[in-house]
Amino acid sequence: MLRYSVGKMGICLSDRNQVKDEDPDVRGFRKPPHYRNREGPKYRVVNFTPDYEYRKYEPSTWICVRVNGVEFKKAADRGESILAKYFDGHNGPEKTMNKTCPLKVQIEFKQDLHEPGYFVVAKHLPYEYCDRPPAPKHKDMFIQDLPEHFAYVSVFGGIADQNEIKQRLDALIEVLGNENKDYEKMDYSTTRFEKAYNLRKNTNEIILLTNRRV
């Protein structure tokens, strides 16, 4: 099974079966209301301003699918559909799993969201399967292990289309630039916690990774 570990030197192949996932409650993480009792990435808000949260994320494992040759909205919807089938049992052992959150899309900074491009769409794996994830059947799917990391996160509600994401990203970049904050400039991620046009109040995030620790 193809499995990646993401670290300071980028992405490398990894066999993490020997690593034990921590008890979800060890560090006292409390799920935000928009998790709606679903499992998702655990983090601590180290600092916050009116414009962003500075978070420390715990190690996490994601099921990912590459979606290429379409624009952002189609990539997110197509990726979500493929991932839903994985959770519904379209995997090696035909294991059905509880749905998790959020839907995350990794995007290159140079990518125009209105144009066809290259995206990675992902969902957090349930913690009980992190050590031994069910093997994906889809040819473009893979498992990704993320180590502990820090990020600047802009949180906002509503339906996040391409224009809204671009505006929020530009605003966050401007704020961080004014504060002389460093962040990784190769790619960024956007998340949503409900389907794009769900009647529930949706929560969205723009996530910029950083090597800073303060």
Side-chain angles (χ1 to χ4, degrees):
M1 176 176 62
L2 197 57
R3 185 166 190 170
Y4 294 100
S5 177
V6 180
K8 292 182 179 179
M9 299 304 292
I11 299 177
C12 59
L13 289 173
S14 170
D15 180 359
R16 212 189 65 159
N17 288 341
Q18 74 278 11
V19 179
K20 296 296 183 182
D21 190 71
E22 292 185 274
D23 186 314
D25 297 322
V26 164
R27 302 192 182 185
F29 172 72
R30 294 185 178 181
K31 295 177 183 177
H34 53 268
Y35 274 42
R36 292 197 295 108
N37 293 320
R38 297 169 293 183
E39 291 187 352
K42 294 177 286 187
Y43 62 87
R44 178 169 63 90
V45 177
V46 180
N47 192 12
F48 64 91
T49 75
D51 301 297
Y52 62 82
E53 294 180 353
Y54 179 53
R55 297 178 181 174
K56 178 182 180 180
Y57 283 91
E58 297 185 20
S60 57
T61 302
W62 299 74
I63 176 67
C64 310
V65 59
R66 298 182 184 88
V67 183
N68 301 331
V70 295
E71 47 86 16
F72 168 79
K73 183 182 181 302
K74 289 183 179 179
D77 291 344
R78 184 178 300 176
E80 186 172 37
S81 176
I82 294 171
L83 292 168
K85 292 178 182 177
Y86 173 84
F87 278 83
D88 287 339
H90 189 68
N91 51 61
E94 299 184 350
K95 180 72 69 174
T96 300
M97 295 170 282
N98 291 331
K99 298 297 191 296
T100 61
C101 65
L103 184 77
K104 180 173 70 170
V105 185
Q106 184 176 331
I107 308 164
E108 293 184 350
F109 268 104
K110 64 182 180 181
Q111 176 65 47
D112 183 337
L113 299 182
H114 292 279
E115 297 295 329
Y118 301 89
F119 304 92
V120 174
V121 186
K123 277 215 163 186
H124 195 279
L125 268 177
Y127 286 102
E128 65 177 303
Y129 297 108
C130 285
D131 285 348
R132 294 181 177 274
K137 289 183 176 180
H138 194 284
K139 64 182 179 63
D140 293 321
M141 296 184 77
F142 61 95
I143 304 296
Q144 183 184 59
D145 294 317
L146 292 180
E148 177 184 277
H149 59 281
F150 293 75
Y152 298 105
V153 183
S154 172
V155 183
F156 58 101
I159 297 174
D161 61 11
Q162 291 97 318
N163 294 330
E164 179 76 8
I165 290 171
K166 182 64 165 59
Q167 292 172 7
R168 297 282 181 170
L169 175 64
D170 289 346
L172 180 56
I173 289 174
E174 182 178 3
V175 168
L176 296 179
N178 292 337
E179 297 179 2
N180 294 317
K181 304 290 190 184
D182 294 327
Y183 57 90
E184 295 185 10
K185 298 178 174 63
M186 181 172 293
D187 51 45
Y188 65 98
S189 296
T190 181
T191 71
R192 71 185 189 211
F193 287 80
E194 306 294 342
K195 291 183 178 295
Y197 294 99
N198 195 302
L199 294 179
R200 293 180 181 272
K201 181 179 179 181
N202 202 356
T203 298
N204 312 282
E205 299 169 331
I206 301 292
I207 302 175
L208 299 181
L209 300 181
T210 178
N211 290 322
R212 293 175 65 105
R213 296 293 183 268
V214 294

